Amino acid sequence: GMAQLGPTRIFGDNMPSVQMSNGGTVTRARHIARRVHIINEHVRDGEFVFQHVSDANNPADFLGKWVPPKKFRATVKYLFNLDNAINK
């Protein structure tokens, strides 16, 4: 195989999980992965980088929770790339 050119960027919208996965400490963590130690090894080895995605920029939000109609319509535009939404 080919050598990895850089760390794989993993996006998440839960800031405490992102901070914890990148080796930081958090005061409140609602969602803790069962395999957090294995993931931390990958982060430490430079294979993964976790990055926070704000609710406003997370088109996958509607898959796990209710979102307001305005955001739902914007998500549908993004998913189907209507009006070239991905490049805006």
Side-chain angles (χ1 to χ4, degrees):
M2 296 175 53
Q4 187 169 329
L5 298 177
T8 301
R9 191 169 300 271
I10 299 174
F11 295 95
D13 68 347
N14 183 277
M15 184 60 95
S17 294
V18 171
Q19 291 169 337
M20 183 177 53
S21 297
N22 285 327
T25 58
V26 296
T27 57
R28 130 185 119 82
R30 294 185 320 184
H31 307 290
I32 299 173
R34 287 176 30 193
R35 301 181 68 190
V36 71
H37 297 292
I38 293 171
I39 291 170
N40 281 339
E41 287 179 5
H42 289 292
V43 170
R44 192 173 51 247
D45 294 344
E47 297 172 22
F48 295 158
V49 173
F50 286 88
Q51 184 172 339
H52 180 256
V53 177
S54 68
D55 283 346
N57 296 320
N58 186 356
D61 253 3
F62 83 102
L63 294 171
K65 64 183 179 185
W66 180 89
V67 295
K70 181 178 178 181
K71 181 173 182 177
F72 182 78
R73 287 191 296 274
T75 297
V76 169
K77 280 186 174 186
Y78 180 84
L79 290 174
F80 293 101
N81 199 23
L82 302 175
D83 303 326
N84 203 27
I86 292 175
N87 295 321
K88 289 185 179 178

